[in-house]
Each structure stands twice: as C-alpha cells, then as structure tokens.
Amino acid sequence: MLLSIALILVAGLAAGRICRRFNIPGLVGMILVGILLGPFVLGVIDSSILIISQEIRRIALIIILIRAGLKLSFEDLAKAGRPAVLLCFLPALFEIGGIMLIAPRIFDISLLDGAIIGSVVAAVSPAVVVPRMIRLIDEGFGTDKAIPQMILAGASVDDVFVIVIFTALTGLSAGGYFDVMSFVNIPVSLVLGVFGGFAFGMLILIVFKSIEVNLTVKALLLLSGAFLLNAVEEGIAWLPFASLIAIMALGMMIRKKEPDLAVALSGYFDKLWIPAEVFLFVLLGASVVIDSLKQAGPMAVILILGAMAFRMLGVFLCVLGTKFDKKERGFCMLAYTAKATVQAAIGGIPLAMGLSCGKLVLTISVVSILITAPFGAFAIDRTYKRLLKKAT
C-alpha cells in the first residue's frame, strides 16, 4: 500500500506540474496518471486502496467544501440572489431534457433510459469547480458581482438535486415505482443541511472557546466535525439531510462569527488540499473503465457535446436579466460544464442493478468525465482573467 501511495503522490504531482507548465490544468495529468496506474492498464495501485477509493475521494471533496465555506459569506450569497438559486437546478434540468431528446434517437433506447443517462451526466463537479472559484475569490476576480460565490454555491446544491432525480428514475426503471417523496425531500434535506451546519458551527466555536487548543488542533476538530456531518447522512437513511451543504454551512458560520479564525483555518485547508487533490483525481482516473471507453463511439461524444450545449443554455437563462455583462455571462456558461466526481460515483450503479441501459450509462459517464472535466477546468483557468473584472 505504501508503494502505491508513493506512486500516486509522486506521479500525480509530477503530471500536474508538467501540465501546468504547458498551461493545461493539472487535473488532466492526474486523471491520465490514474488511468495509467489503475487496474485497467498497468494495475500497480494496490487493491486495498482501490477498495476504499470512493471514501478517499469523499474526504477530498469534504476538504474542498470546508475551504469553500470558510471563504463564503452570507453577504456574498445575498448579493448573488436569484441566479444562485436557479443554478442549483435549472441547468441540470435542461441537460437532462436535452439528453432525453438526443439519446433515444442515436442509441435506440427508451425515454426513461435517456432520462437515467441524463441524471448521471447532469451533476456538475464540485471537485473541479469549487477550488477554482475559491481561487477567483482569493484573487478578487468577479467578486464585485459575487460571480464565483454564486457558481460555488450552485455547484454544491446541484449534486444533491441530480442524485435525488437519479435515485427516483433508477427505482422506476428497476421496480416500476416512482418515489414522489424523493422530490419532496429535496428542499427538506437542503434546509436541514443548512441549519444543521450552522448549529454544528456554533457548537464547534463554543468548544474552541472552552478548550485552549492551537490552530492545528482546531483544523483537525473542524475536519472531524465535517466527517460527522457526512456520517449523519450516510448513517440515518430515513433522514433527508444534505451533508455536503451542511459542511459548507459549517465553514460559513465560522467565517460569520470568527472571521480571523476562518482566515487562519483556510490557510491550513489550502495546504491540505494539495495532497487531497492528487488523490482525488488520480483515483478518479483509476476508476475509469477502459473497456467502456473502448466501446464509446462518436455517438457518445456527440451526446456529451449536445448535453453541454443544453446545460449552457440553462445557465444563460439563469443569468438573464442580471447586471452581468456578456463576458461575465459567457464565463458562467463555461464554468458550469465540468463533470467528474458524481459520474465516477454513480455511473456504474445502473449496470450493477441489472438495468438494460447499464453498460451504456457507464460508457457515457466515462466519456463525460474525460471530455468535460478537462474542458471545464481549462475554460475557467484560461478565461477568467479576460472575462471577469478584478475587484478594486
């Protein structure tokens, strides 16, 4: 296992550095390293790591969301307003609808199968989007109009919304029933997540004031608290609780009540993100099923490109009527395209359930990661300085 960890870190860091030297997002190199080292090519990553790969990637995602919460303020979200709310669901609905229009015509599948494919592909990747929006906040690009804050918040809620749709549709396909309560639980889970995160944030601040501990211990306690919030969602199946939203709310509460502490903690999590990013994207690459990739013809690529066009249309409608200029709207449309973490997590579920569309869903999930993750990262990295204004 130790050899595999060393390979992941050294090869991932090296590949990321090489890509950045050529103005290519580092995650592209990390994903390629993961594919190369993974079980479907060289097979040098220890199986014990692959078994817990999803949990390791979840830890990396939690670190991202803590960073995001510590950077976000209530005032920023209030400034974002209506577009931030619409970004939580409208682009995903447009993308699912677009795939339902395109997929049955090019793959000869049912409308329901097309909807299942859409519900897998439609989730935007916080692993790609969130760290880049944090960088924009740190550098002050677009912050006068709360553009990175808006995209950051929308990308976090988008996943919750899409996963609920996916669960309902696969249940309908497998058992012939449609769980209406899944949709009722969406706002409930979001509200409980927000208030749960705020309450837990207050509790942690009380602990910090009651016990004299250094900043490193505070960072570890905050990370442990985020793990506990995630465990609540996973351990209490009947409770609609959006733990990812709760983790961001936890960070926001600390920023609200103790802004200096939030800045100091943010520095710790910025450093922690360096190895977390490597593990996240290398293990994401290792999860790519090469056999599915080989089966992906040009039609799968066409479907993903069409889905991206529908998503961009949805984002355009979200920011229509705002004070954003054309460049800022264009940036929002580009920045909201990347897919990775959710697709890797749920892309194989329909196949495991024995659904007729399972193999096709897995194939398109792989294609969506390999096309949209590099595209979204590259689009953000290469355009934000030209399309967004820097705060003065």
Side-chain angles (χ1 to χ4, degrees):
M1 179 186 284
L2 293 179
L3 176 60
S4 295
I5 292 173
L7 284 172
I8 289 170
L9 286 171
V10 173
L13 286 168
R17 186 178 180 86
I18 292 168
C19 284
R20 282 189 285 268
R21 191 168 282 183
F22 290 96
N23 293 320
I24 299 170
L27 68 86
V28 176
M30 295 173 195
I31 290 174
L32 292 176
V33 162
I35 294 173
L36 183 64
L37 299 180
F40 304 103
V41 183
L42 297 180
V44 297
I45 297 180
D46 193 281
S47 60
S48 58
I49 292 180
L50 295 174
I51 290 171
I52 60 171
S53 170
Q54 190 163 335
E55 286 74 18
I56 294 173
R57 284 183 278 141
R58 170 66 66 150
I59 291 171
L61 184 59
I62 287 171
I63 291 170
I64 294 170
L65 293 172
I66 293 174
R67 290 179 70 210
L70 292 171
K71 304 278 186 180
L72 269 178
S73 70
F74 295 98
E75 292 77 13
D76 289 336
L77 288 181
K79 191 189 296 184
R82 174 185 60 85
V85 176
L86 293 177
L87 281 175
C88 296
F89 64 92
L90 193 60
L93 287 178
F94 265 74
E95 190 163 13
I96 293 171
I99 291 177
M100 289 175 67
L101 287 174
I102 300 170
R105 287 168 172 76
I106 62 178
F107 291 116
D108 193 26
I109 58 175
S110 69
L111 198 62
L112 177 57
D113 288 345
I116 292 172
I117 293 172
S119 66
V120 172
V121 173
V124 74
S125 174
V128 178
V129 175
V130 171
R132 283 168 170 76
M133 294 305 108
I134 291 173
R135 187 176 70 206
L136 267 61
I137 293 170
D138 289 340
E139 295 181 14
F141 282 93
T143 53
D144 280 346
K145 296 182 181 178
I147 292 173
Q149 294 93 328
M150 173 190 75
I151 294 173
L152 191 157
S156 303
V157 179
D158 171 278
D159 285 2
V160 177
F161 176 72
V162 171
I163 289 171
V164 168
I165 291 178
F166 169 77
T167 304
L169 291 174
T170 50
L172 178 62
S173 181
Y177 69 92
F178 188 80
D179 188 1
V180 178
M181 282 304 298
S182 296
F183 292 92
V184 175
N185 285 339
I186 291 176
V188 176
S189 67
L190 294 178
V191 170
L192 287 179
V194 169
F195 283 100
F198 288 164
F200 208 80
M202 292 296 295
L203 178 62
I204 284 181
L205 288 174
I206 292 171
V207 172
F208 287 171
K209 291 177 179 178
S210 303
I211 306 172
E212 194 66 36
V213 292
N214 61 36
L215 191 60
T216 301
V217 175
K218 288 179 180 179
L220 291 174
L221 288 173
L222 178 56
L223 184 60
S224 300
F227 290 166
L228 286 173
L229 288 171
N230 186 69
V232 169
E233 181 178 23
E234 294 184 349
I236 308 177
W238 54 266
L239 179 68
F241 181 75
S243 64
L244 299 184
I245 306 303
I247 291 165
M248 263 191 22
L250 165 64
M252 290 177 66
M253 179 54 69
I254 293 174
R255 177 185 167 95
K256 174 71 173 177
K257 297 296 183 180
E258 297 287 345
D260 292 338
L261 176 61
V263 171
L265 287 170
S266 183
Y268 266 80
F269 283 97
D270 287 347
K271 293 173 184 176
L272 194 56
W273 169 241
I274 295 171
E277 180 185 31
V278 175
F279 274 100
L280 174 63
F281 289 110
V282 171
L283 292 177
L284 179 62
S287 71
V288 170
V289 182
I290 298 299
D291 288 341
S292 294
L293 190 58
K294 290 177 181 177
Q295 296 171 10
M299 292 296 105
V301 176
I302 290 171
L303 178 63
I304 296 303
L305 295 178
M308 286 174 65
F310 274 92
R311 170 168 279 272
M312 287 183 177
L313 176 59
V315 175
F316 175 77
L317 293 176
C318 290
V319 298
L320 198 64
T322 64
K323 295 180 180 179
F324 300 165
D325 60 31
K326 290 180 180 179
K327 289 183 178 181
E328 291 164 340
R329 292 176 188 175
F331 175 81
C332 294
M333 293 165 69
L334 291 171
Y336 221 58
T337 56
K339 316 296 174 59
T341 37
V342 174
Q343 288 69 31
I346 68 175
I349 291 178
L351 183 62
M353 293 175 66
L355 302 185
S356 59
C357 63
K359 185 174 286 189
L360 182 60
V361 172
L362 181 59
T363 300
I364 293 172
S365 298
V366 171
V367 174
S368 71
I369 292 170
L370 295 180
I371 291 176
T372 65
F375 173 83
F378 187 83
I380 295 169
D381 293 349
R382 299 294 289 170
T383 66
Y384 76 94
K385 291 183 179 178
R386 295 199 299 271
L387 300 181
L388 300 180
K389 297 181 181 70
K390 189 168 184 176
T392 54

